Amino acid sequence: MSTYIDLHNHILPGIDDGPKDINESVKLARELNARGFETVVATPHALGGKPAPEKILTTLNRLQEALVEEEIPLTLLPGSEQHITPDLLEKLDKKESLTLNNTSYLLLELPMLQPLPLFAEELLFNLNKSGYRPVIPHPERVVALQMNEHMLFRLHQLGALYQVTWGAFTGLLGSAAQKTARFMLDSSLVHLLATDAHHPDTSLLKIDKAALVLDQSMGQSYSKTMLTERPKKLIAGDFLDLPAPKYPESRAPRRVPFLSRLFRA
Ligand SMILES: [Fe+2]
């Protein structure tokens, strides 16, 4: 029986760089269901309130009807992947931007190749202060984070959670992303996982190998937790009980013993 939940997915037709029409969306839904998913949060790219929530909801309802007609047991929930903008908090408060299933959790996308915007830290702080819980999608692909692992801890300190892509762990997104994903795993900074699928034929849907790799290093129930229990709590808007981040021991800055410091002085 299908029980998995995908928190980040571009399944809606003709709204972003996902499926170009409803047939392709139905095909993607069939693929997701065949791989064990029963619920998908539809998270089209959004910037500055566009596409408007009404457009996302109308498209979602149209696709959901088509899935019922096609007898594909996949439930779609509303969401968006909000690109970071200084006015995001205002847009959320005015309901001009969608959170994940109308909870306080939202996908907050950072620029992939450019430096982090100067307002990023202040925005994270203000979002948290206002009760929102920002989740940064695919941090492993954000060059500013790949190049500065301390920034991963810093943004988390300011309230950011991280959603890593399953495929990153098997190298589907390149070696830099794989290395960052691994570092995050070792640092207890992988809070959520998702496919970020855009098309039915994407290799990002092949999560089995990643699940195996993760279970081998984190314990047998890890992938199940990340595919069912944790996303279930998130879409219900519940608190996520997450482990505290830790700098991996093998990478921790070496502490100079007290006596050595004394002698050096
Ligand atoms: Fe995405």
Side-chain angles (χ1 to χ4, degrees):
M1 201 182 80
S2 307
T3 54
Y4 303 164
I5 300 167
D6 197 11
L7 295 171
H8 179 178
N9 198 298
H10 296 265
I11 193 168
L12 297 185
I15 207 162
D16 63 0
D17 54 347
K20 60 182 185 319
D21 56 33
I22 201 152
N23 294 330
E24 202 183 340
S25 293
V26 169
K27 214 169 151 196
L28 174 53
R30 200 169 270 127
E31 285 290 332
L32 283 157
N33 191 240
R35 288 167 198 278
F37 288 94
E38 69 163 3
T39 305
V40 165
V41 187
T43 54
H45 292 288
L47 174 70
K50 290 197 174 106
E54 299 75 45
K55 170 147 182 155
I56 295 175
L57 295 173
T58 313
T59 314
L60 185 147
N61 290 338
R62 193 159 58 92
L63 178 59
Q64 187 69 75
E65 277 169 26
L67 298 187
V68 172
E69 245 170 65
E70 295 283 332
E71 296 180 6
I72 302 171
L74 191 78
T75 303
L76 303 176
L77 299 176
S80 66
E81 181 179 10
Q82 292 290 334
H83 196 80
I84 190 165
T85 53
D87 61 350
L88 181 59
L89 178 55
E90 201 185 310
K91 297 272 177 210
L92 288 162
D93 283 344
K94 286 189 189 160
K95 309 279 178 218
E96 289 173 5
S97 292
L98 284 180
T99 59
L100 297 174
N101 196 32
N102 301 313
T103 64
S104 54
Y105 295 96
L106 68 131
L107 284 189
L108 173 66
E109 189 184 30
L110 299 177
M112 297 279 201
L113 304 173
Q114 296 93 344
L116 296 184
L118 293 174
F119 61 85
E121 294 194 15
E122 193 186 347
L123 177 68
L124 280 173
F125 178 81
N126 288 335
L127 283 168
N128 257 278
K129 207 172 68 175
S130 303
Y132 291 102
R133 286 172 279 189
V135 178
I136 296 177
H138 43 64
E140 75 281 1
R141 288 167 64 204
V142 174
V143 173
L145 299 179
Q146 287 177 349
M147 297 183 53
N148 183 357
E149 51 201 32
H150 294 283
M151 188 53 80
L152 284 164
F153 289 88
R154 169 84 187 137
L155 299 187
H156 177 55
Q157 230 171 29
L158 289 165
L161 301 182
Y162 294 115
Q163 171 262 300
V164 176
T165 316
W166 284 101
F169 288 100
T170 45
L172 291 175
L173 300 168
S175 60
Q178 188 174 20
K179 203 171 136 220
T180 303
R182 187 70 228 186
F183 173 80
M184 294 182 72
L185 190 71
D186 294 341
S187 309
S188 298
L189 283 171
V190 178
H191 304 120
L192 298 154
L193 287 158
T195 69
D196 193 14
H198 284 63
H199 298 284
D201 49 1
T202 176
S203 48
L204 293 177
L205 289 171
K206 296 175 187 160
I207 58 166
D208 291 11
K209 204 171 147 200
L212 203 67
V213 169
L214 289 165
D215 285 348
Q216 272 165 1
S217 52
M218 304 299 287
Q220 280 307 307
S221 59
Y222 183 82
S223 60
K224 191 169 166 266
T225 303
M226 300 304 258
L227 282 162
T228 56
E229 290 147 40
R230 202 171 286 175
K232 196 172 173 184
K233 280 188 182 164
L234 185 143
I235 58 172
D238 292 345
F239 173 76
L240 301 180
D241 192 13
L242 301 167
K246 56 174 175 37
Y247 209 88
E249 263 169 42
S250 55
R251 304 273 295 280
R254 211 164 61 84
R255 291 192 64 185
V256 182
F258 174 71
L259 277 177
S260 303
R261 274 186 280 151
L262 202 66
F263 279 107
R264 272 190 208 173

